Amino acid sequence: MLIAKPQSMHFAAVLPLQSGASIRDYALSYETYGALNADKSNAVLICHALNASHHVAGVYEGQDKSEGWWDNMIGPGKPVDTNKLFVIGVNNLGSCFGSTGPMHVNPDTGRIYGADFPVVTVEDWVNAQARLLDALGIQTLAAVMGGSLGGMQALSWTLQHPQRVRHAVVVASAPNLTAENIAFNEVARRAIATDPDFHGGHFYEQGVIPKRGLRIARMIGHITYLSDDVMNEKFGRQLREGIELKYSTQDVEFQIESYLRYQGDKFAEYFDANTYLLITRALDYFDPARTYNGDLSHALARAKCKFLLVSFTTDWRFSPQRSRELVKALLDNRRDVSYAEIDAPHGHDAFLLDDPRYMGLIRSYFDSIENEASKGQP
Amino acid sequence: MTDRSTMETIARLVPQGARVLDLGCGDGAMLAHLQATRGCTGYGVEIDDANVLACVKRSVNVIQLNLDEGLSMFGDQSFDVVLQIDTLQHLRNAEVVLRETARVGRTGIVAFPNFGHWPNRLSVLLGRMPVTRRLPYQWYDTPNIRVGTHADLQLLTQRNGLQILDSFGIHNGRTVRLAPNLLASTSVLKFSR
């Protein structure tokens, strides 16, 4: 069993942000697994999505059920094999799992950031991650990998630091969000911001948490991560109890309601409201083609590395079509790219689940990366 | 079809260093061969999960796509050579994909089983659909939904305004230039727009 040890690194230097603001005296939480080889050619950076963290793999000493969020993918003998690779998980700025975020003290004011935490973008996260790698003495990544919003970071790495990445593995991701996707994010944000306990984002001083908003945000998010099929298969029209209808408008009647409420309650216990707003905004803003008049091929011309893209047929939040747009732009630039479309029933969530085709593909791709690394090829 | 000599015969039609798109690339053996022996680059296109995995295993770029949905992902004349080896006979939109092959590639190379090969003709003459080493399927379980001859393929190519650059057959790994419609189990056509 892989034992994970969270670490933290403090950065005193100012990090300029895309918005024009900046942040200083911040900390990044991170974990590493496996050993960095002598020529430092086997490092793999894992980027996390909305509600995950630096705790990618393994368990914490003495803590049951503390597996990392991608523990099925990453670890000794797993598709991303930490017996051969040095894997780094890092918690992004603005998150609520240890790295500096809105619940921490702003060194400029001595008060908790709250709503004043600067808006951070995917590009800002990548720059912060690059500084962590600098500090760890890693110049070049064998691979950067992520799913969903994590895939956006992996893609952005290849554009912001093309000389520092040899492979990018971009799973269930997209070149930007569609209007529908932004719309879902906006519903979630409004649920949080209109919760009376939100206090304009300065709820920490009030000793309250806008849990109602967080619950609704999670419920709507959760619906979009599943497919219609899988939801029907799992819950169908099952009633929560008995076989008689209650004829109630507010009680939990159907199993799916119970499930969503449970997911919402759980989420509201550990997630930060300001973090939710920040991270969904980072999703909304990501659009590397924007400065190229929407020309994705032009935008991706900077990428130099090899790519593996994976999508899932029933993922309607980050649909295969969006991954194909990325593939096309990479083909236009004559980049090395492979693309797999996994016929899995689980919707967007599929990228976190075990599927032998998916796992086998990632394993084989990383086998070839490991072979390159051990041969010392560029 | 995938035997070594047939693969090498077709590979010889591909120029050194060519940028190649292999439609229905199977396990990527052809592309791996072209990369290793002729310095080619490029991509395979496959629909089958196991074949996609096989390509990734041998470090051949592969794009998982259903060819019947078209080649819109690929730009006009963006490849030196587009290969369709034992692919056309499986496609619902065979004619569209043939045209698309010529749009995407400066040169297209199609190879497919020739139903005009004499043992097939004999079999049909005797009242039965052919079952041979080249066409090992029964009529009711064959994946070959487009059944055509070398002559048919030439006609279709011409009817789509494509220019035939070379046309021959392959049988038992050997090139057949004499009456290929009768004497070859595999039909090969090289064409361009």
Side-chain angles (χ1 to χ4, degrees):
Chain A
M1 187 59 91
L2 181 66
I3 300 296
K5 291 189 193 71
Q7 303 177 70
S8 181
M9 193 175 289
H10 179 260
F11 296 82
V14 169
L15 179 72
L17 302 173
Q18 197 183 328
S19 65
S22 63
I23 188 167
R24 68 179 173 89
D25 282 312
Y26 59 91
L28 292 182
S29 291
Y30 68 99
E31 291 179 8
T32 68
Y33 323 94
L36 189 62
N37 62 9
D39 60 358
K40 300 180 175 180
S41 65
N42 68 334
V44 175
L45 177 69
I46 305 294
C47 304
H48 70 76
L50 205 158
N51 68 327
S53 71
H54 52 291
H55 183 40
V56 175
V59 293
Y60 292 137
E61 186 95 68
Q63 286 183 44
D64 277 352
K65 294 184 176 171
S66 63
E67 284 84 5
W69 60 271
W70 224 350
D71 190 61
N72 57 349
M73 182 68 84
I74 296 152
K78 306 253 172 93
V80 181
D81 189 351
T82 54
N83 287 331
K84 298 169 187 164
L85 298 163
F86 180 67
V87 177
I88 306 148
V90 54
N91 188 215
N92 284 324
L93 277 174
S95 182
C96 51
F97 296 108
S99 293
T100 300
M103 68 298 300
H104 293 122
V105 172
N106 179 349
D108 291 339
T109 63
R111 297 180 51 207
I112 291 174
Y113 276 111
D116 299 330
F117 194 87
V119 168
V120 281
T121 63
V122 166
E123 286 80 358
D124 295 331
W125 286 336
V126 166
N127 285 333
Q129 291 161 6
R131 285 189 176 187
L132 175 68
L133 295 190
D134 292 343
L136 296 175
I138 295 162
Q139 178 52 38
T140 309
L141 289 167
V144 59
M145 175 178 182
S148 190
L149 174 58
M152 289 174 166
Q153 292 159 58
L155 176 64
S156 207
W157 258 98
T158 73
L159 307 178
Q160 290 175 252
H161 305 284
Q163 71 290 358
R164 297 186 71 170
V165 187
R166 292 207 306 271
H167 294 266
V169 179
V170 179
V171 183
S173 197
N176 60 24
L177 290 195
T178 59
E180 185 187 55
N181 245 319
I182 295 171
F184 282 122
N185 284 346
E186 176 60 3
V187 173
R189 280 192 295 267
R190 292 313 293 162
I192 289 168
T194 57
D195 184 324
D197 285 339
F198 185 62
H199 296 285
H202 295 287
F203 52 88
Y204 311 96
E205 298 92 322
Q206 312 286 329
V208 292
I209 296 169
K211 285 190 178 177
R212 281 163 291 184
L214 276 166
R215 286 190 196 108
I216 307 295
R218 183 55 170 174
M219 286 166 84
I220 182 116
H222 213 87
I223 296 167
T224 69
Y225 305 146
L226 301 177
S227 70
D228 194 21
D229 280 354
V230 89
M231 224 190 248
N232 272 324
E233 191 184 314
K234 217 166 161 181
F235 306 104
R237 294 183 52 81
Q238 263 177 64
L239 300 181
R240 188 179 173 214
E241 46 205 34
I243 50 165
E244 297 299 323
L245 297 178
K246 287 186 195 150
Y247 295 103
S248 156
T249 54
Q250 295 189 29
D251 288 348
V252 169
E253 183 74 279
F254 295 95
Q255 272 295 4
I256 181 64
E257 297 170 16
S258 169
Y259 174 77
L260 286 177
R261 287 193 193 191
Y262 169 75
Q263 291 293 340
D265 289 347
K266 205 169 71 170
F267 188 71
E269 289 303 316
Y270 72 82
F271 211 80
D272 180 82
N274 284 308
T275 293
Y276 204 95
L277 305 190
L278 284 165
I279 296 189
T280 53
R281 257 307 185 225
L283 270 160
D284 294 355
Y285 282 142
F286 183 67
D287 186 5
R290 188 170 180 270
T291 45
Y292 296 88
N293 291 320
D295 183 344
L296 188 63
S297 299
H298 197 171
L300 266 48
R302 281 170 294 166
K304 297 280 172 273
C305 72
K306 297 180 179 180
F307 284 81
L308 174 66
L309 280 84
V310 181
S311 74
F312 300 91
T313 50
T314 54
D315 183 354
W316 54 280
R317 186 107 199 231
F318 288 78
S319 72
Q321 180 50 40
R322 306 310 319 276
S323 285
R324 283 190 219 126
E325 287 173 40
L326 286 169
V327 173
K328 182 184 185 317
L330 292 167
L331 289 170
D332 288 343
N333 286 296
R334 306 188 161 208
R335 292 291 159 258
D336 281 309
V337 53
S338 284
Y339 169 60
E341 221 165 271
I342 309 286
D343 186 11
H346 306 100
H348 189 54
D349 260 359
F351 91 87
L352 293 168
L353 301 175
D354 284 319
D355 179 293
R357 291 160 297 179
Y358 171 42
M359 294 283 156
L361 192 78
I362 301 285
R363 182 184 291 278
S364 296
Y365 194 75
F366 272 91
D367 280 347
S368 64
I369 293 176
E370 289 154 15
N371 290 339
E372 272 179 22
S374 63
K375 280 185 214 149
Q377 284 176 359
Chain B
M1 187 60 208
T2 46
D3 67 90
R4 194 90 200 153
S5 51
T6 302
M7 189 163 83
E8 275 164 13
T9 303
I10 294 171
R12 278 195 290 275
L13 300 174
V14 179
Q16 285 282 341
R19 190 173 140 81
V20 179
L21 182 66
D22 187 354
L23 303 178
C25 65
D27 62 8
M30 180 59 132
L31 271 174
H33 178 70
L34 289 170
Q35 285 169 8
T37 62
R38 302 181 87 80
C40 295
T41 58
Y43 312 84
V45 174
E46 249 301 324
I47 190 168
D48 179 73
D49 292 330
N51 280 333
V52 169
L53 180 64
C55 290
V56 168
K57 276 189 176 160
R58 48 169 35 128
S59 295
V60 163
N61 292 327
V62 61
I63 313 290
Q64 191 164 26
L65 275 186
N66 181 353
L67 288 173
D68 272 328
E69 287 169 13
L71 299 178
S72 61
M73 191 183 274
F74 305 98
D76 291 2
Q77 305 289 289
S78 55
F79 289 88
D80 299 313
V81 176
V82 178
L83 298 174
Q84 263 195 72
I85 300 163
D86 261 0
T87 301
L88 195 71
Q89 72 266 27
H90 304 306
L91 301 179
R92 208 157 280 284
N93 297 318
E95 185 174 7
V96 174
V97 178
L98 190 72
R99 276 203 300 270
E100 283 283 275
T101 297
R103 174 185 69 79
V104 170
R106 279 181 272 279
T107 304
I109 297 169
V110 170
F112 90 137
N114 172 29
F115 263 73
H117 189 211
W118 69 264
N120 301 335
R121 297 187 193 199
L122 187 65
S123 182
V124 172
L125 200 67
L126 294 172
R128 296 288 306 277
M129 285 299 280
V131 179
T132 62
R133 202 152 56 90
R134 183 70 179 92
L135 295 164
Y137 305 99
Q138 295 290 343
W139 65 273
Y140 51 83
D141 66 5
T142 178
N144 301 324
I145 60 170
R146 301 291 170 210
V147 177
T149 68
H150 184 64
D152 289 331
L153 181 61
Q154 282 182 303
L155 262 172
L156 182 67
T157 309
Q158 284 160 345
R159 223 185 52 211
N160 279 283
L162 306 176
Q163 203 186 335
I164 294 176
L165 306 174
D166 199 0
S167 159
F168 60 92
I170 298 176
H171 190 64
N172 288 337
R174 284 214 294 272
T175 304
V176 179
R177 293 208 170 264
L178 178 72
N181 197 33
L182 191 65
L183 301 179
S185 54
T186 296
S187 163
V188 182
L189 221 61
K190 184 175 170 182
F191 57 91
S192 67
R193 269 214 291 215

